[in-house]
Amino acid sequence: LYSVLGGLGWVGIFTGGGYFFGSQPLVRDHLGVVLIVGLLAAAAGPVLAATAWRLLTTRVRPLRDSLQDGQPTGSRVGGGLRSK
């Protein structure tokens, strides 16, 4: 029951939203630009998430681990912080 209601809700929201935004003169006249901006915005989320994950795993965790070990920052063998 909830799957059917959820599916109908999605269809209704996106069909209504497409009809509403498609009737706007700015969107209707510049549909190509709107689609490109939408695709770029959709692609930015995973890129930002991957960048945040990389920063977290390569910089923050080694720094946290070195501080928990009681060693001053940068005192690891090999000179500097490295990911494990």
Side-chain angles (χ1 to χ4, degrees):
L1 175 67
Y2 291 113
S3 296
V4 172
L5 291 175
L8 290 173
W10 273 95
V11 169
I13 287 171
F14 285 105
T15 302
Y19 179 77
F20 173 74
F21 286 113
S23 65
Q24 300 297 317
L26 181 67
V27 174
R28 185 179 55 231
D29 296 341
H30 303 288
L31 184 61
V33 174
V34 170
L35 290 175
I36 290 172
V37 168
L39 288 173
L40 290 175
V47 170
L48 291 175
T51 302
W53 182 259
R54 178 169 291 210
L55 287 174
L56 179 68
T57 57
T58 60
R59 294 187 182 176
V60 174
R61 285 184 182 167
L63 178 62
R64 184 192 64 202
D65 293 343
S66 70
L67 293 175
Q68 286 178 350
D69 293 340
Q71 299 173 353
T73 304
S75 67
R76 291 184 173 202
V77 176
L81 300 176
R82 296 180 186 213
S83 61
K84 292 182 179 180

